Amino acid sequence: MLWFLVFFLVPFFVLGRISLAEPRIALPPYTPLFERGPDGSLQIIASLENYWFLWEDALYRNAYLSSIRIAVISTVFALLIGYPIAYYIARSPEPRQSILLLMVILPFWTSFLLRVYAWMGFLRREGVINNMLMSMGVIDTPLVMLQTDFAVLIGIVYTYLPFMILPLYANLTKLDSAHLEAAADLGASPMVTFFTVTLPLSMPGIIAGSMLVFIPAIGEYVIPALLGGPDTLMIGRVLWDEFFSSRDWPVASAVAIVMLVLVVAPIMWLQSVQNRRELD
């Protein structure tokens, strides 16, 4: 509860207070929430104009929709790639299992920024991928991959793939092999056993991994800034522009509050559904 109070509720209320103010050229760059009137009475100066401004301006709506779309697609691809990897690690013998886990965690030993910059070298017109494809005769002209949504998806999936693999691995290692043996004894094929036994039992790991990928991906700033183009619209870049370029802290705070609600509300609903299933 102390962790929740310090690192969630306090920043949430600070942003909420700023989002109800108006911008001004001063320090801090927003109007106070309380002000004394001519008669000495304390007045509350707050409005919802910043939230109404977000609703009226199509830029912010498009940024939210684009961020959700890219985050969902990245999460799906991370799941499709991460599940077989986690399954293979969980079914490997112990010495190999430790080595494979180390290989999954190994990228974290390198700077996040350097890893994203490395993808720029792979995806540019004269990069490794284009040179390899042209030398093999697959393409005649370089492909445009950098500064596109495709490059952003690759960067997000590559960066957050370990966050998908590790929860899945932790869940799959706890899977009781007796269930698989019982399904085989009842005549189920390996494919039927996977979809009727393994996949349903690994659902908590799928949900945990998906949340760990989706939540940071929806507010990602560095990857779209380096790998995306001017048409790549994500809410993280909008937040940066509002805070540091436009210096409009109230609007930026309103953007952050709305994004937080969009992320937290589905998580709370999903948690309630999962709790009801456990009770049933």
Side-chain angles (χ1 to χ4, degrees):
M1 290 301 296
L2 181 61
W3 179 277
F4 181 73
L5 174 67
V6 174
F7 294 102
F8 181 81
L9 289 181
V10 171
F12 179 82
F13 283 115
V14 170
L15 285 176
R17 174 256 177 277
I18 299 175
S19 68
L20 300 176
E22 296 180 0
R24 67 174 183 176
I25 304 176
L27 287 176
Y30 50 86
T31 57
L33 189 61
F34 300 98
E35 193 175 74
R36 291 200 173 275
D39 56 350
S41 61
L42 191 64
Q43 299 177 351
I44 300 177
I45 305 175
S47 69
L48 298 175
E49 291 183 3
N50 295 316
Y51 294 96
W52 184 249
F53 176 72
L54 299 184
W55 176 259
E56 290 182 330
D57 197 327
L59 170 68
Y60 301 99
R61 295 199 303 270
N62 294 336
Y64 283 122
L65 293 175
S66 178
S67 299
I68 294 173
R69 176 179 61 85
I70 291 177
V72 168
I73 296 174
S74 302
T75 303
V76 170
F77 275 102
L79 177 60
L80 293 176
I81 298 172
Y83 197 102
I85 297 174
Y87 187 88
Y88 177 76
I89 297 175
R91 292 292 176 265
S92 297
E94 184 54 38
R96 186 189 303 171
Q97 196 173 107
S98 301
I99 297 174
L100 293 173
L101 280 176
L102 179 63
M103 293 175 65
V104 171
I105 303 172
L106 198 61
F108 289 114
W109 296 4
T110 309
S111 170
F112 165 72
L113 195 60
L114 291 178
R115 285 183 280 136
V116 178
Y117 268 116
W119 272 107
M120 296 176 66
F122 276 96
L123 298 174
R124 65 173 185 239
R125 291 179 64 88
E126 301 82 13
V128 176
I129 297 177
N130 274 320
N131 288 336
M132 183 176 63
L133 292 177
M134 292 180 68
S135 64
M136 295 171 59
V138 178
I139 58 175
D140 297 326
T141 57
L143 299 175
V144 179
M145 293 180 288
L146 193 61
Q147 296 184 342
T148 62
D149 288 353
F150 173 74
V152 174
L153 289 173
I154 288 180
I156 292 177
V157 172
Y158 164 76
T159 301
Y160 295 112
L161 186 59
F163 294 100
M164 178 67 75
I165 294 175
L166 295 177
L168 284 170
Y169 162 78
N171 181 263
L172 290 170
T173 52
K174 298 177 183 178
L175 187 63
D176 191 354
S177 59
H179 294 89
L180 306 179
E181 295 173 0
D185 291 340
L186 292 173
S189 65
M191 187 65 69
V192 173
T193 301
F194 174 77
F195 283 104
T196 58
V197 179
T198 304
L199 189 62
L201 291 178
S202 62
M203 194 57 64
I206 293 175
I207 294 174
S210 299
M211 291 296 102
L212 288 175
V213 174
F214 177 79
I215 293 173
I218 197 174
E220 182 59 54
Y221 166 73
V222 175
I223 295 175
L226 295 179
L227 301 181
D231 297 332
T232 304
L233 187 62
M234 291 194 70
I235 205 65
R237 298 182 67 175
V238 174
L239 272 172
W240 173 273
D241 292 337
E242 292 294 345
F243 266 117
F244 300 103
S245 297
S246 303
R247 297 281 294 176
D248 195 339
W249 284 29
V251 170
S253 299
V255 171
I257 291 293
V258 173
M259 183 178 69
L260 189 63
V261 171
L262 289 175
V263 172
V264 171
I267 294 175
M268 294 179 64
W269 173 79
L270 191 62
Q271 185 67 35
S272 64
V273 171
Q274 190 173 2
N275 291 338
R276 285 199 300 268
R277 286 182 178 178
E278 292 178 356
L279 292 176
D280 295 337

